[in-house]
Amino acid sequence: MVNVTCWMISNLCKGSPGLPLSLIQPLITPLNTLLLHVNDSNAIVDILLMFFYVTEKAEGAKALFKLINVHSIAFLATTDNLSIKMCALKVIGNYCLGSSEDIDKLVGYILIPLLNAITLKSSRPVAGVACWILCNIAAGPEKHIKEIMSSGCFQALLQLLESDADRGVKDEAGCAIANLCIYGSAEQVCKMADEGVIEGLSSALDSTDPATLLSLLDAVANVLAIGNVEDCSNALAVKFESVGGKKKLEKLLLNSNVEVYQGAVKVLEEFYENKEECMTDF
């Protein structure tokens, strides 16, 4: 009976327009309680899907997340059940699209299941969702970036880039790394450089997705610009070249996407050499 009820509520909330907010709000508290006590995995998945559907709508997300027990959902995201894990991560993903103040309250709880998901080799889709969430958190204040770095998630992202994961998951990881480099402080970026981000950026440039490449080019430009400030000889640019990053920028001069081409030209001209020399060398 509980399973059927949860399934019905989930389906009523799916799509547009779905149930009105006035009918959804009274359901949240009993469903929070049910999440903690029900043993039926299907019922748990349906409750999580209901939370995901109703928080996709921006107008209701903020009000509903004041009622939804995100701590419990973060705990469920560490379970071995992949369906529950994926649904819980999707709800957390919606939560992380909110204000940085809201994320502040729970970022420590959220990063634990994200680290668990990234390192879960048996399910790359789960890792992809976790990387997407980290990408959104990394686009926030420096204190969030500090949390990501200290939690182990940063190193896990770098390891994912060097793994045999499919290209889509690596692109999500690359975008998360890019945001860490774009929004991090100079001190944080230098620390990331010491811990392998230069190699990670170079590896991520194997992507063929234009949006991912544009984010990575912005990240490379920011890292190398910080290298200019920190060191007149720009040791970061030298290191990026030594790990094959410059060669990959040169290959992007043949990319069919105009914005990607222009981004690669800009980085090469500013930190290495002019476009004509690059084309000749290539």
Side-chain angles (χ1 to χ4, degrees):
M1 185 67 179
V2 170
N3 188 9
V4 174
T5 302
C6 293
W7 175 81
M8 289 176 61
I9 293 172
S10 174
N11 279 279
L12 286 170
C13 293
K14 186 177 182 180
S16 183
L19 290 177
L21 193 61
S22 59
L23 294 180
I24 294 171
Q25 286 178 311
L27 298 172
I28 300 297
T29 299
L31 288 175
N32 277 331
T33 303
L34 199 57
L35 268 182
L36 297 175
H37 297 98
V38 71
N39 292 319
D40 189 319
S41 61
N42 290 325
I44 294 172
V45 166
D46 284 325
I47 293 170
L48 292 171
L49 283 174
M50 180 267 195
F51 287 170
F52 172 67
Y53 295 143
V54 299
T55 55
E56 274 192 308
K57 303 173 179 68
E59 66 275 10
K62 190 171 182 63
L64 293 172
F65 271 125
K66 290 181 179 178
L67 303 173
I68 293 172
N69 188 337
V70 183
H71 291 83
S72 296
I73 294 172
F75 173 75
L76 287 171
T78 64
T79 182
D80 291 333
N81 185 304
L82 292 181
S83 296
I84 293 175
K85 183 188 292 288
M86 178 67 88
C87 292
L89 286 171
K90 287 182 175 180
V91 179
I92 292 171
N94 283 352
Y95 180 81
C96 290
L97 292 174
S99 68
S100 61
E101 291 79 11
D102 289 334
I103 297 173
D104 281 347
K105 301 171 186 175
L106 295 171
V107 66
Y109 293 95
I110 291 169
L111 291 175
I112 294 170
L114 295 184
L115 178 60
N116 174 277
I118 294 172
T119 55
L120 185 68
K121 294 181 180 179
S122 61
S123 179
R124 294 307 189 190
V126 168
V129 173
C131 291
W132 167 69
I133 297 170
L134 283 169
C135 185
N136 290 324
I137 296 175
E142 292 171 9
K143 56 186 173 181
H144 291 171
I145 293 173
K146 181 180 179 181
E147 292 271 8
I148 291 172
M149 292 175 67
S150 63
S151 68
C153 287
F154 168 66
Q155 286 297 335
L157 287 169
L158 292 179
Q159 290 168 13
L160 191 57
L161 286 173
E162 300 300 330
S163 73
D164 60 355
D166 63 66
R167 188 68 257 171
V169 174
K170 287 188 176 184
D171 284 349
E172 293 287 1
C175 287
I177 290 291
N179 274 356
L180 288 169
C181 294
I182 292 167
Y183 294 97
S185 66
E187 182 181 357
Q188 287 173 327
V189 170
C190 288
K191 181 173 173 58
M192 284 187 273
D194 290 338
E195 296 180 4
V197 83
I198 299 293
E199 294 86 345
L201 288 171
S202 177
S203 178
L205 284 173
D206 288 331
S207 174
T208 57
D209 176 61
T212 300
L213 287 170
L214 288 171
S215 294
L216 290 167
L217 288 168
D218 284 344
V220 171
N222 194 54
V223 170
L224 300 189
I226 288 171
N228 266 346
V229 172
E230 297 292 324
D231 180 357
C232 292
S233 64
N234 204 338
L236 297 185
V238 172
K239 185 173 183 180
F240 187 69
E241 181 174 8
S242 73
V243 299
K246 179 172 174 282
K247 285 290 185 184
K248 292 185 179 182
L249 292 175
E250 291 169 349
K251 287 184 179 180
L252 291 179
L253 296 177
L254 299 179
N255 195 283
S256 59
N257 184 283
V258 175
E259 290 182 281
V260 170
Y261 164 80
Q262 291 174 338
V265 168
K266 183 179 178 181
V267 176
L268 286 165
E269 287 184 337
E270 185 168 356
F271 301 105
Y272 294 105
E273 52 199 352
N274 63 44
K275 181 177 64 175
E276 289 74 23
E277 289 174 336
C278 294
M279 291 298 288
T280 300
D281 292 344
F282 186 74

